[in-house]
Amino acid sequence: MPESSSRIFRFAPSPNGALHLGHAYSALLNHDLARAAGARLLLRHEDIDRARCTLAFERAVEADLRWLGVAVEDRPRRQSEHFADYRAALEALEGEGLVYPAFMTRGQVRAFAERWQEENGRPWPRDPDGAPLYPALDRSLSARERAERIAEGAPFAWRLDMAAACARTGPLSWTEEGGGEPGGVRVAAEPQAWGDVMLARRDLPTSYHLSVVVDDALQGVTDVVRGADLLPATSVHRVLQSLLGLPAPAYRHHALILGPDGRKLSKSARDAGLAALREAGLTPADVRRMVGSGGEIGEPA
Ligand code: GLU
């Protein structure tokens, strides 16, 4: 791993709830690794979901990080202020004929998958997050049929034609660090497992996948340190980076902090937020002890 101050790390939570111990672990790990490498650490508010993200949660995120001692640079990037950047990337893919308007809602895709299973006696394939893959119906519409549906006012999302994208990029991989191997290991991307991922929602010119890839490149991020739940998504990110001519950062997907019952923590009320722990009298050192090196939450000493 080259030790150089040109490296840039980032912590990129969505301000749609209070940070919990899992976020604390991720933020502290980013902070410690960046500091050890003499690198910069950026904060990014991933707030494209305008219905769920709020300025109050953003401020709470920043207060939690200050309390934890995670120093991030001033003026965090707020994704909702950069829709034009994501739109430009989408238009580039559109110009290459690699995206298409997708008219089915998630509910319609679920119904399609159920009907297919009833008729065929085996399950319709699902993506790594468990959602049924998008059927090929809209991908095979003619340009005229598409134009007609759009002219009728049918709402649509934009989806990536994954088969065409993979034919364009060829096999891809990424460097995964943190497994003890100096320099990390190469992991082969498996984007086909996702099918035709959504790149822009009906109501937004972007999606998580598109904005994270565009921002990491625009911000010069060299090191992405995030939870293992996002490891499968990295395959999609590699495809988008390759198609858009963007550099690939090194990745490190860390173990998730699990609750006492072994489940992943969530921002729901059942998992104590950092602010609640602070109010209960815990110190940042207690939080560091509780999250340890990842895995299950320990008791504060
Ligand atoms: N915004 C994502 C989340 O809160 C993290 C994105 C990333 O680190 O790539 O889960």
Side-chain angles (χ1 to χ4, degrees), residues 25-40:
Y25 177 56
S26 203
L28 288 166
L29 187 59
N30 268 289
H31 169 265
D32 293 353
L33 290 168
R35 176 162 281 200
R40 296 166 60 195

Side-chain angles (χ1 to χ4, degrees), residues 10 12-14 46 208 212 226 230:
R10 76 344 181 242
S14 293
E46 301 215 324
Y208 161 64
V212 82
R226 60 185 179 192
L230 290 171

Side-chain angles (χ1 to χ4, degrees), residues 24 122 166 173 231:
R122 60 200 153 88
C166 290
S173 61
L231 189 139

